[in-house]
Amino acid sequence: MRIVFATHNPNKIREVLHLLPKHIDLLSLTDIGCVEEIPETGQTLEENALLKAQYVVRNYGHPCFADDTGLIVDALDGAPGVYSARYAGTNKNADANMAKLLSEMKKKPNRSARFKTVIALFLEGEQQLFTGKVEGEIIHEKKGEQGFGYDPVFKPVNFDKTFAELPLSVKNKIGHRGKAIRKLVDYLKNIDNTTE
């Protein structure tokens, strides 16, 4: 089956491709000719994921799933949360976002945080939500060259390396997006028209 992942982010596509069964043909927004930035005006991760998936179904007619991910930092009362990608401004600059986060965390003794991903699926008139979380902490400086977003400053529980230092296979196994995608894949496997 063909399904659209409502993202322009090649890093997200790469992560998800590692997890999907071979019989699912994954398309990005670029693949379907969607060059516009889909508005994310929701107040929650769930609302934003639903908005993006609905937009693709309504305007392009493809089955679609969309995700929204937030970094939730306890010492910052849950910020940046739903505004994670735009924390330092609307241009979605990861380095600027991390710099702002590290600056605001300078004198915070509580470094606990978690990533949360919500995936919204629209398929054959049905709507489903899948959620994945990973607990961890914000370290004091960036470490690692892999990953994207806040990965260089997030160290998951029970690991001594950041997401940006861990192989993609490990991140997919323990990470928020990997957990949500596996729930999505399990759901797709149980639908008759996804069988080979």
Side-chain angles (χ1 to χ4, degrees):
M1 81 178 294
R2 297 188 114 194
I3 191 165
V4 175
F5 181 12
T7 185
H8 290 291
N9 187 325
N11 294 303
K12 285 187 177 183
I13 292 287
R14 191 166 54 95
E15 278 191 7
V16 170
L17 278 172
H18 280 273
L19 297 166
L20 286 178
K22 297 282 186 272
H23 65 271
I24 295 178
D25 184 14
L26 187 67
L27 302 173
S28 69
L29 291 177
T30 305
D31 293 330
I32 63 169
C34 176
V35 296
E36 63 268 29
E37 195 72 29
I38 300 174
E40 296 181 41
T41 55
Q43 297 301 302
T44 65
L45 300 174
E46 288 82 359
E47 287 176 8
N48 278 339
L50 287 165
L51 283 170
K52 288 187 279 187
Q54 286 169 337
Y55 183 94
V56 170
V57 171
R58 187 171 60 246
N59 292 284
Y60 292 88
H62 291 286
C64 179
F65 68 90
D67 80 322
D68 200 23
T69 295
L71 176 64
I72 299 156
V73 181
D74 292 333
L76 302 178
D77 298 322
V82 72
Y83 304 107
S84 292
R86 304 175 296 281
Y87 195 40
T90 56
N91 61 350
K92 298 184 176 182
N93 183 290
D95 288 325
N97 288 338
M98 281 187 284
K100 179 176 180 180
L101 176 65
L102 291 176
S103 173
E104 294 191 354
M105 290 294 289
K106 261 184 186 163
K107 296 181 180 175
K108 305 284 188 186
N110 179 6
R111 313 290 296 187
S112 63
R114 68 208 48 81
F115 273 118
K116 177 182 176 184
T117 290
V118 176
I119 292 175
L121 169 69
F122 279 81
L123 182 66
E124 297 178 344
E126 297 282 322
Q127 169 188 311
Q128 301 289 332
L129 289 173
F130 309 94
T131 301
K133 292 181 187 175
V134 60
E135 298 288 333
E137 64 178 275
I138 304 302
I139 61 171
H140 294 272
E141 60 184 10
K142 294 193 289 184
K143 289 185 180 178
E145 301 296 326
Q146 302 185 78
F148 60 99
Y150 295 92
D151 286 356
V153 297
F154 182 83
K155 186 174 73 170
V157 167
N158 299 324
F159 285 81
D160 59 0
K161 293 181 177 179
T162 67
F163 266 163
E165 296 174 292
L166 293 169
L168 179 59
S169 59
V170 175
K171 183 186 174 187
N172 273 341
K173 186 174 182 180
I174 66 169
H176 47 295
R177 188 171 293 106
K179 290 176 180 176
I181 288 291
R182 278 191 291 279
K183 291 177 184 176
L184 167 69
V185 168
D186 287 343
Y187 179 81
L188 291 175
K189 283 177 178 174
N190 289 325
I191 295 177
D192 289 339
N193 68 355
T194 64
T195 56
E196 292 181 272

